[in-house]
Amino acid sequence: MPDKTLNTRPGRLIGRVQVPGDKSISHRAIMFGSIAQGETVIENILQAEDVQTTQSVYQQLGVKIEATDEHLKIQGRGFSGLQEPVCALDFGNSGTTLRLSLGILAARPFAMHLIGDASLSQRPMARVLEPLGQMGLHIPTDAKTLPLDLEPNAQLNALDYVLPVASAQVKSALIFAGLQAQSATNIVEPIATRDHTERMLTAFGGTSLRHENTLTIQPEQTLHGTTLQVPGDFSSAAFWLVAGLLVPDSHIILPKVGLNPTRTGLMQLLEKMGAHFELTDVSRDSEPMGTISVTTQTLQAIQVTEVDIPAVIDEIPLLVLAATQAQGVSEIRGAEELRVKETDRIQAVTQELRKLGADITEHPDGFTICGPTPLHVVNKTQVDSHGDHRIGMMLAIAALMTEGEVKLSGSQAINISYPRFFEDLATLWNE
């Protein structure tokens, strides 16, 4: 795809956007629908490359999945009904699909060969493979990245495990594995992470028990197909929240956005920076959702520590952008996890925003950002998504506040999570 010229003419963002379905929930809905008994209907599922990868993987495992414009219909087979794939399972660029699926695949009585694209093949899997190895998953080599060969394994051991790093993906993989273990599995979270998997387990008729920071999963639970409404993805809405705060004279309304408190950490940090959001039509379903309204406001610098990071890990590039326009010096630390995302996000964010004149210092685990700094270009500036969808969208928002022409290389990466991003941007932009 050729470089995309980003709209930098003076203007404001006005209007209403229904963001795509939540990516994390869409992945999990397909997985739970596949291992449940009976039919599952998923409404407002995200139509993006990563989720389509999840759908393809479970179809290769013998699950019948029918997609229409309105919903996804899954004929669940239960754990025992999953079938041996006839070729390698291709996980594309989706780390979520791979890490969570390892927990499901760990007790399959047939061998599998797992592959992915160049980016995913460089991303570390040891934090999932090590506890699953303790449960009985066997890989014939010491490989910690793709490609991986899983040997047949019909039974898993129970596990008592303290997560060394706050990770909802590792926790979710262990939940799936724990449902297939010989006895109860206990997962200790020193820092709370997203709870989508626990909520969805309940929606499919299963149970989990939480006592303080310990989650207990009992095995041999029978899950039943159900109907799910996927809320709008908060991580996608986050781009419009930050844009609405920073682009002058803006007013954006975002209906039916997921408001799971383990996901809205960005809103809470922006509120500490002085932002105010209006919430209306809030539901209290298993995955709460509501309408968020945002207008342009002045922000103050913020200090972010490792305790804040798990609830905002995907939105940190946006938080850095907001800090470039805030009054004072902001610090974001304890975010070394960003170095093993789709790209090294600490390096990429620093490098690309500096091209636009931002005052950012890179640290091994985060950033120091001095603001406010007017963003600008010299002649024509070309920024790069680094093949990372979130970096690409963050740079597109940055360009709205930049004087001069900005070209974005690698804009196709945005299709991974938000294929209609530029269409929604065009509906909001008012010159």
Side-chain angles (χ1 to χ4, degrees):
M1 179 179 288
D3 296 340
K4 186 172 184 63
T5 300
L6 301 176
N7 190 346
T8 60
R9 297 183 300 276
R12 56 182 181 163
L13 297 168
I14 301 291
R16 187 180 185 94
V17 171
Q18 176 62 65
V19 297
D22 186 285
K23 186 157 77 84
S24 296
I25 296 173
S26 294
H27 282 305
R28 288 161 171 79
I30 294 173
M31 295 176 192
F32 272 104
S34 297
I35 61 175
Q37 300 287 346
E39 183 175 273
T40 291
V41 177
I42 309 169
E43 300 174 356
N44 194 42
I45 194 163
L46 174 63
Q47 299 292 339
E49 291 178 7
D50 272 11
V51 176
Q52 289 166 356
T53 292
T54 300
Q55 179 179 329
S56 174
V57 164
Y58 285 87
Q59 286 174 319
Q60 290 183 69
L61 292 166
V63 180
K64 182 179 179 181
I65 302 177
E66 178 185 357
T68 71
D69 291 339
E70 292 79 26
H71 57 252
L72 202 69
K73 189 179 293 184
I74 303 173
Q75 303 301 327
R77 302 181 62 91
F79 282 110
S80 62
L82 297 179
Q83 298 176 352
E84 182 175 359
V86 298
C87 58
L89 287 177
D90 189 348
F91 290 83
N93 185 252
S94 182
T96 302
T97 309
L98 175 58
R99 291 192 179 99
L100 271 62
S101 294
L102 284 168
I104 294 173
L105 302 178
R108 303 282 58 77
F110 45 78
M112 288 165 284
H113 183 59
L114 280 51
I115 61 174
D117 71 5
S119 172
L120 185 60
S121 297
Q122 295 177 2
R123 294 169 66 180
M125 295 298 145
R127 65 179 57 172
V128 179
L129 293 172
E130 289 173 2
L132 289 177
Q134 295 177 38
M135 298 183 77
L137 173 66
H138 184 62
I139 297 173
T141 68
D142 292 330
K144 302 300 182 184
T145 59
L146 291 178
L148 293 170
D149 288 294
L150 307 188
E151 292 193 347
N153 182 34
Q155 183 65 62
L156 293 175
N157 305 314
L159 181 68
D160 292 329
Y161 190 72
V162 179
L163 291 173
V165 176
S167 172
Q169 292 185 358
V170 176
K171 175 179 69 173
S172 297
L174 297 180
I175 289 172
F176 282 126
L179 291 171
Q180 306 170 81
Q182 293 178 328
S183 56
T185 290
N186 297 301
I187 307 164
V188 181
E189 288 190 283
I191 300 176
T193 64
R194 297 178 180 183
D195 64 354
H196 296 308
T197 305
E198 299 96 302
R199 288 172 181 261
M200 196 165 291
L201 175 61
T202 301
F204 278 84
T207 60
S208 62
L209 175 64
R210 177 171 287 279
H211 178 68
E212 295 179 347
N213 61 347
T214 300
L215 181 70
T216 299
I217 303 298
Q218 296 290 345
E220 299 184 356
Q221 300 187 42
T222 300
L223 307 180
H224 302 280
T226 188
T227 297
L228 295 173
Q229 172 77 29
V230 178
D233 194 316
F234 180 84
S235 293
S236 295
F239 293 96
W240 307 125
L241 293 180
V242 171
L245 288 171
L246 301 184
V247 177
D249 302 319
S250 295
H251 182 199
I252 303 175
I253 300 172
L254 304 165
K256 296 183 179 179
V257 174
L259 296 176
N260 184 313
T262 65
R263 287 289 297 282
T264 55
L266 179 68
M267 282 180 63
Q268 292 149 24
L269 292 179
L270 290 171
E271 287 170 344
K272 289 183 179 180
M273 298 175 76
H276 173 73
F277 304 99
E278 181 182 359
L279 298 180
T280 56
D281 304 322
V282 177
S283 75
R284 300 298 178 187
D285 298 332
S286 60
E287 285 287 354
M289 68 181 78
T291 297
I292 311 174
S293 298
V294 59
T295 57
T296 307
Q297 296 164 58
T298 300
L299 301 179
Q300 305 299 319
I302 190 170
Q303 305 300 307
V304 178
T305 70
E306 64 178 346
V307 176
D308 304 304
I309 298 300
V312 74
I313 188 68
D314 285 337
E315 292 80 38
I316 288 177
L318 278 170
L319 189 63
V320 174
L321 175 60
T324 69
Q325 304 306 301
Q327 303 285 336
V329 178
S330 295
E331 290 270 353
I332 301 175
R333 305 304 291 264
E336 57 271 17
E337 171 74 7
L338 290 178
R339 295 214 181 260
V340 292
K341 288 292 188 178
E342 284 82 340
T343 187
D344 181 339
R345 286 183 177 166
I346 293 178
Q347 181 184 49
V349 168
T350 303
Q351 175 181 312
E352 300 306 319
L353 286 179
R354 278 179 175 172
K355 292 179 182 178
L356 301 179
D359 186 348
I360 303 175
T361 300
E362 176 182 340
H363 302 293
D365 64 342
F367 314 83
T368 299
I369 311 106
C370 297
T373 304
L375 301 183
H376 61 279
V377 302
V378 178
N379 297 321
K380 296 180 180 180
T381 293
Q382 180 165 309
V383 293
D384 192 338
S385 75
H386 295 256
D388 188 318
H389 55 128
R390 300 195 194 281
I391 300 293
M393 286 185 279
M394 181 274 290
L395 292 171
I397 299 304
L400 300 176
M401 302 174 289
T402 301
E403 292 186 10
E405 184 175 290
V406 180
K407 289 185 178 293
L408 175 62
S409 176
S411 62
Q412 68 273 15
I414 291 171
N415 292 331
I416 288 172
S417 64
Y418 199 156
R420 67 169 194 262
F421 175 80
F422 288 109
E423 295 174 32
D424 286 349
L425 174 57
T427 66
L428 290 172
W429 189 249
N430 287 260
E431 294 182 39

